[in-house]
Amino acid sequence: MLTNLQFQLSEAGLIDRFDDVLAECAQIRAELGWPIMVTPFAQLVAVQAVYNIMTGERYRTVPTS
């Protein structure tokens, strides 16, 4: 999953924010009670982290599917 995330951030020109996205993933996980990070939940957390970092506001954009 991390390699995929790096590739997608690179394609979007956001590879310099990789560490920020990882920190945001940890914060989201903590807020959700430390759930197990397995597919597809891990991807949902990563997508939310990217949205939070890109918009600069936590949970401003929440994916619906």
Side-chain angles (χ1 to χ4, degrees), residues 27-47:
Q27 180 65 36
I28 291 169
R29 237 182 117 209
E31 292 169 353
L32 295 175
W34 297 102
I36 296 172
M37 294 293 281
V38 296
T39 302
F41 194 75
Q43 285 81 355
L44 295 173
V45 170
V47 166

Side-chain angles (χ1 to χ4, degrees), residues 2-38:
L2 292 178
T3 304
N4 219 7
L5 181 59
Q6 284 178 321
F7 175 76
Q8 291 172 350
L9 288 173
S10 178
E11 290 293 307
L14 297 169
I15 192 63
D16 59 317
R17 305 296 307 270
F18 182 70
D19 290 336
D20 296 333
V21 171
L22 290 182
E24 185 65 18
C25 283
Q27 180 65 36
I28 291 169
R29 237 182 117 209
E31 292 169 353
L32 295 175
W34 297 102
I36 296 172
M37 294 293 281
V38 296

